Amino acid sequence: MEKITQAILEGAPGEEIGSLELPESMTAAYVRKDEQEMFEGMEHDAKDPRKSLHVDEVDIPPLGPNECLIAVMASAINFNTVWTSIFEPLPTFLFLERFGREGELGARHNLDHHIVGSDAAAVVLKTGPGVTRWKPGDRVTVHCNYVDLEAPTGHDDSMMDPGQRIWGFETNFGSLAEVSMVKANQLMPMPTHLTWEEAACNGLVNSTSYRMLVSPNGAQMKQGDVVLIWGATGGLGGYASQMVLNGGGIPVGVVSSEDKVELLHEIGVEHVINRKAEGYQFWDGDRQNPKEFKRFGGKIRELVGEDPDIVFEHPGRQTFGASVFVTKRGGKIVTCASTSGYQHVFDNRYLWMMLKSIIGSHFANYKEAWEANRLLDLGKIHPILSKTYPLSETAEAAWQVHQNLHKGKLGIRVLSPEDGLGVQDEAKRAKYADKIEVFSRFSD
Ligand code: NDP
């Protein structure tokens, strides 16, 4: 891989990069099928990605029709890599086996190791038959929706396609590897003022937040809307906070430490609740505590003077009852996850009597991802990238996210030897220097 990395770092022309021979093996982060039961019977928090995620040599992925092989310069940790590495709620080998039953191309993914990772900043190395829009040497970020679009239902919105999969979670050959395999319809141009690691950490969570808040498929936030954002500096929330500000909404961020409160104030979020300092106890054993819902709702009213039009939900079981309670009459709860448990309990009287609605949302289609990526390229969104790790320390980074010890995003340097490389347009970066400086203050 050294020759390829060197050619990329030296800015070699695309034809030269495309002509370089690929090695037979590469370094990648993966979980093993023969270890998928290793955490059985253990508590969620005790399941340790540092025991299950391996970084070692594996074969270079195959290349098929409408696919590209990309050299991954940087990647990032998403929560889905945490789920894969603790084999919750189920081992992702089940996804690979199902894919394997779908024919020859799917069978390539059904291996005894699963290479994880759903975000990348990369350079196209090889293109398969049928690829016309991308060529070797192109600098790209990756949209992690892996879909053929054979079914008619996917043609208004590819997230409605029954064959839709999340790359590096429901497929093999994800981004925490020196070379990854993607479909051509996953590629997007790399924002020209960002470094490899800054460009690598956005795709999955930025696009998901865009669909949840902005898209006609989500809550369709309008100017003046009050939006309650759980985990407002986290993977999803760090982007949601910026989108609400950009769209003329009023974000109310919920976080769990004073440095996160400060971060939100610095980027312009006026109303912030430190949930730890307030000590909310929404659950009392296995019963919910409506008094605590009222105390939480009262805090939002005290800060903003009204209830949220939209609640941006993903913690799930621990918060969902409170989210439904505090939403304004006629408002929307938009949810994409259940980090603290997927069996939600809420008092339906607060929903139907107050004409509220719950919107289920999952990742984003290519158009939504492209729009979200464009916001990055326009400098309107910037990642909260607090730390980067080398590929060899992927498991430690996943552990940090599992234990909620991180801020914003954790990046992984794959082929890029150090932080700060990959910027294509220094003049543009200088234009956004003040904004970038604010965000960089929160790096560890
Ligand atoms: P992060 O861990 O980066 O951020 C989530 C934040 O939520 C945390 O930083 C924490 O912030 C807050 N949080 C965690 N647990 C609780 C809790 N019990 N109560 C209140 N707040 C809590 O993760 P992501 O934002 O990247 O992902 C969040 C979830 O969304 C994951 O389950 C992930 O798998 C899922 N997801 C789903 C997608 C989809 O397409 N369906 C796409 C992307 C993510 P703080 O401690 O500061 O309050």
Side-chain angles (χ1 to χ4, degrees), residues 78-80 83 166 204-205 208 230-237 254-257 260 275 314-315 318-319 336-340 361-363 401 404 406 408-409:
N78 280 297
F79 218 97
N80 65 3
W83 295 124
I166 300 294
L204 193 155
V205 275
T208 305
W230 290 105
T233 63
L236 291 163
V254 185
V255 288
S256 62
S257 65
K260 292 179 181 176
R275 66 181 170 101
H314 49 87
Q318 286 297 326
T319 56
C336 75
S338 295
T339 313
S340 64
S361 191
H362 183 43
F363 189 43
V401 174
N404 196 21
H406 66 303
K409 294 295 298 179

Side-chain angles (χ1 to χ4, degrees), residues 150-416:
E150 275 190 36
T153 48
H155 281 256
D156 280 341
D157 174 10
S158 59
M159 291 306 298
M160 299 302 282
D161 192 297
Q164 174 275 328
R165 292 182 161 86
I166 300 294
W167 165 69
F169 178 64
E170 292 164 294
T171 78
N172 217 321
F173 314 121
S175 61
L176 288 158
E178 291 177 328
V179 177
S180 183
M181 184 255 269
V182 294
K183 283 185 178 293
N185 67 7
Q186 288 180 253
L187 297 181
M188 306 190 290
M190 176 176 162
T192 51
H193 63 299
L194 298 185
T195 63
W196 296 116
E197 63 281 2
E198 287 169 349
C201 66
N202 311 292
L204 193 155
V205 275
N206 187 32
S207 310
T208 305
S209 299
Y210 184 90
R211 182 178 175 110
M212 287 174 77
L213 283 177
V214 183
S215 159
N217 293 312
Q220 300 188 67
M221 191 205 90
K222 60 180 189 341
Q223 293 181 44
D225 277 353
V226 175
V227 185
L228 180 75
I229 304 168
W230 290 105
T233 63
L236 291 163
Y239 296 88
S241 299
Q242 295 179 67
M243 281 173 201
V244 174
L245 288 170
N246 288 344
I250 303 162
V252 183
V254 185
V255 288
S256 62
S257 65
E258 277 310 304
D259 59 339
K260 292 179 181 176
V261 173
E262 189 193 327
L263 190 163
L264 287 173
H265 286 323
E266 291 258 359
I267 66 171
V269 179
E270 185 186 343
H271 309 300
V272 186
I273 298 173
N274 180 339
R275 66 181 170 101
K276 275 247 170 79
E278 297 286 340
Y280 297 115
Q281 296 292 336
F282 297 140
W283 285 85
D284 196 355
D286 58 0
R287 293 175 71 88
Q288 291 190 326
N289 191 346
K291 278 194 185 144
E292 285 294 275
F293 295 172
K294 276 194 191 131
R295 188 163 75 87
F296 180 54
K299 181 75 187 175
I300 299 168
R301 285 185 182 172
E302 179 194 314
L303 289 171
V304 196
E306 51 184 306
D307 298 330
D309 297 278
I310 298 169
V311 177
F312 184 86
E313 242 297 333
H314 49 87
R317 184 173 172 82
Q318 286 297 326
T319 56
F320 204 81
S323 293
V324 170
F325 178 83
V326 301
T327 303
K328 190 180 280 179
R329 179 183 279 259
K332 301 166 191 169
I333 302 102
V334 58
T335 174
C336 75
S338 295
T339 313
S340 64
Y342 49 79
Q343 291 192 326
H344 296 186
V345 177
F346 65 90
D347 186 332
N348 200 29
R349 291 170 300 174
Y350 299 125
L351 190 87
W352 100 71
M353 296 288 286
M354 301 289 176
L355 304 113
K356 304 176 189 182
S357 32
I358 296 170
I359 302 171
S361 191
H362 183 43
F363 189 43
N365 61 41
Y366 197 19
K367 176 78 173 10
E368 290 159 342
W370 196 280
E371 293 293 339
N373 187 55
R374 181 169 166 265
L375 294 177
L376 285 157
D377 193 50
L378 291 169
K380 294 193 182 294
I381 300 269
H382 193 76
I384 303 173
L385 176 64
S386 61
K387 193 166 180 177
T388 62
Y389 294 77
L391 181 62
S392 57
E393 291 174 28
T394 297
E396 173 60 31
W399 167 251
Q400 296 283 322
V401 174
H402 179 23
Q403 297 298 309
N404 196 21
L405 299 170
H406 66 303
K407 281 184 299 212
K409 294 295 298 179
L410 299 184
I412 302 290
R413 292 187 304 281
V414 183
L415 291 173
S416 179

